[in-house]
Amino acid sequence: MSRPQDPQRSFFPFGNPFRMISPKGTKLSPQMLAVLRAFEATLEERLKKLIPQSKDEILCLSWMTLAMQTLCESHNDIKTLITDLELPVQDWDEKWIDVYLDISVKLLDICIAFSSELSRMNQGYLLLKCALHNLDSASSKQFVRACSSLDGWRKHIGSKNHRIEKCGSILDNLVGSLDLPKVKKSAKGKVLMQAMYGVKVQTVFVCSVFAAAFSGSTKNLLDLDVADIYSWAPAFKNLQDLVNEEIRVRFSSGRFIVLNELEVVDSSVKELYPIIQDVVDTIETESHVKIVVELGRATEKLSQGLDLLTKEVDGFFQVVLAGRDTLLSSLRSGATVNDRILWGNTDAEVVN
């Protein structure tokens, strides 16, 4: 991983995989080349969709939801590509399958960590709703309760999620999985490996951004060095540079909350909290009422955004789980199933 004060670490700790993409021997036919180009063109368009038009779009829940949507689409496209290529898997090295199962578990663990953090944020939403409800009252006792709820929210949102803290080591392992396996004498294998590489890069990037945003630290933020030989590389580099730079700027300014919607809520809470601490009757001034209204709007926007993002994270979990279940089912039945080769980092050969 790369930290702001550290030099960039090599993206490939196990050597240069690019020499494996075009080994001596089999060349791609025009048909196979067209399949690969179509896949990579779609990946490039997805990456371009994530490039923010302004810094304000970075790390808002709608952007994160879109990022997870594109990730699900790319993983589904890989499964479709595997089916379309009709690659035989019965002669493949068992280690490849073992690695896929291991990597899929790591992806599921990351999804669980993200879901737990979204659930934790939703629990904070309940505290905000309780505070807003009590602020509608003219009773000083209710104001005390509102103050208590806001205090509870501030402590809750500032606490650490141990599952998110573990994402760093998982991301380290995922970076290792980006190394491309050797593909000998198989045009289809070359197409699949190059397509899978692009999706792996997209996956690690999105997961690292989520982990950084949820952890409140740049230690989980990765700088991935992608070679220019890929048609989607310029779009990815542009996206990564913009997003990672903005995240680091936000953290360097001392902000531990970087999600836009959450920051708006936190700003309103900080403004309102000292006001209601000393209230004994009711909030009368127009400015105070305005703050309460703004907090209510920000709270609802946060809740809606969390709900949408939660659905997308759950969707990605299901995509990964479905591929894993298909593989395990095929191993039990002895059938040939193409989903065996979604992820891998071995020297296994693909044989036509």
Side-chain angles (χ1 to χ4, degrees):
M1 276 180 247
S2 298
R3 294 178 172 82
Q5 69 272 21
D6 297 334
Q8 283 193 359
R9 196 181 68 182
S10 172
F11 183 35
F12 299 105
F14 309 114
N16 180 11
F18 302 117
R19 61 183 171 78
M20 305 179 194
I21 296 173
S22 302
K24 295 179 180 179
T26 305
K27 293 184 178 180
L28 295 182
S29 67
Q31 181 181 6
M32 288 291 97
L33 192 58
V35 169
L36 178 59
R37 285 177 175 172
F39 184 95
E40 292 191 328
T42 300
L43 176 61
E44 181 181 7
E45 287 305 309
R46 289 198 181 112
L47 293 171
K48 286 181 177 179
K49 283 173 62 178
L50 291 178
I51 296 175
Q53 298 302 309
S54 70
K55 292 181 179 180
D56 291 336
E57 295 180 19
I58 298 175
L59 291 187
C60 66
L61 291 173
S62 59
W63 183 89
M64 296 177 74
T65 299
L66 178 61
M68 195 55 65
Q69 285 176 347
T70 61
L71 203 55
C72 289
E73 291 168 356
S74 293
H75 277 256
N76 280 324
D77 279 359
I78 279 289
K79 293 170 69 176
T80 300
L81 178 65
I82 291 171
T83 301
D84 291 344
L85 289 175
E86 298 179 345
L87 279 169
V89 297
Q90 60 268 27
D91 296 328
W92 287 18
D93 195 312
E94 290 183 2
K95 185 179 179 182
W96 195 327
I97 297 174
D98 292 339
V99 170
Y100 163 64
L101 292 174
D102 181 60
I103 294 300
S104 65
V105 166
K106 289 179 172 61
L107 288 176
L108 293 175
D109 285 343
I110 280 187
C111 287
I112 291 171
F114 292 167
S115 293
S116 72
E117 179 61 15
L118 292 169
S119 176
R120 194 176 74 89
M121 290 185 189
N122 271 315
Q123 290 172 6
Y125 163 77
L126 296 177
L127 289 169
L128 292 172
K129 288 293 290 183
C130 183
L132 289 166
H133 173 74
N134 286 320
L135 287 171
D136 283 339
S137 171
S139 167
S140 60
K141 183 182 294 186
Q142 296 298 92
F143 284 162
V144 171
R145 291 176 180 173
C147 192
S148 176
S149 294
L150 292 180
D151 186 52
W153 181 83
R154 293 170 65 183
K155 291 178 180 177
H156 178 77
I157 213 66
S159 62
K160 296 294 184 181
N161 183 337
H162 296 300
R163 280 179 172 164
I164 291 295
E165 295 298 305
K166 294 179 181 178
C167 283
S169 60
I170 299 176
L171 286 167
D172 271 342
N173 286 319
L174 288 178
V175 168
S177 77
L178 288 161
D179 223 2
L180 294 174
K182 293 179 181 179
V183 179
K184 298 180 180 179
K185 300 179 182 180
S186 173
K188 291 180 179 180
K190 291 179 186 178
V191 170
L192 179 60
M193 289 302 100
Q194 189 161 328
M196 284 171 57
Y197 171 71
V199 176
K200 290 178 184 181
V201 169
Q202 180 190 9
T203 302
V204 173
F205 166 72
V206 170
C207 288
S208 74
V209 170
F210 275 47
F214 289 153
S215 66
S217 169
T218 58
K219 69 179 183 180
N220 291 323
L221 201 60
L222 299 173
D223 293 302
L224 310 183
D225 185 16
V226 177
D228 292 331
I229 61 174
Y230 300 102
S231 61
W232 48 267
F236 173 76
K237 290 179 180 180
N238 189 11
L239 170 64
Q240 178 177 246
D241 289 347
L242 286 171
V243 173
N244 285 8
E245 179 183 2
E246 177 61 17
I247 293 174
R248 288 190 170 110
V249 167
R250 294 188 189 189
F251 282 126
S252 66
S253 65
R255 293 152 62 180
F256 79 93
I257 294 178
V258 295
L259 292 179
N260 292 354
E261 292 85 350
L262 199 61
E263 191 172 44
V264 172
V265 170
D266 185 58
S267 178
S268 294
V269 169
K270 286 179 179 177
E271 191 173 2
L272 184 61
Y273 186 77
I275 295 173
I276 65 173
Q277 274 186 309
D278 300 323
V279 171
V280 295
D281 187 9
T282 185
I283 296 178
E284 296 179 349
T285 67
E286 185 177 338
S287 61
H288 295 169
V289 173
K290 184 179 178 182
I291 297 172
V292 174
V293 171
E294 289 176 350
L295 176 59
R297 290 174 180 170
T299 297
E300 288 308 310
K301 186 175 182 180
L302 173 64
S303 176
Q304 292 169 8
L306 290 175
D307 287 345
L308 292 174
L309 182 54
T310 298
K311 289 179 182 178
E312 292 303 325
V313 171
D314 289 346
F316 182 55
F317 180 91
Q318 293 302 324
V319 167
V320 176
L321 186 62
R324 180 181 174 83
D325 285 349
T326 301
L327 170 59
L328 293 173
S329 217
S330 71
L331 292 176
R332 285 192 294 268
S333 66
T336 298
V337 176
N338 294 323
D339 276 344
R340 286 188 178 191
I341 47 156
L342 287 178
W343 293 78
N345 176 25
T346 73
D347 291 336
E349 296 184 7
V350 180
V351 183
N352 270 334

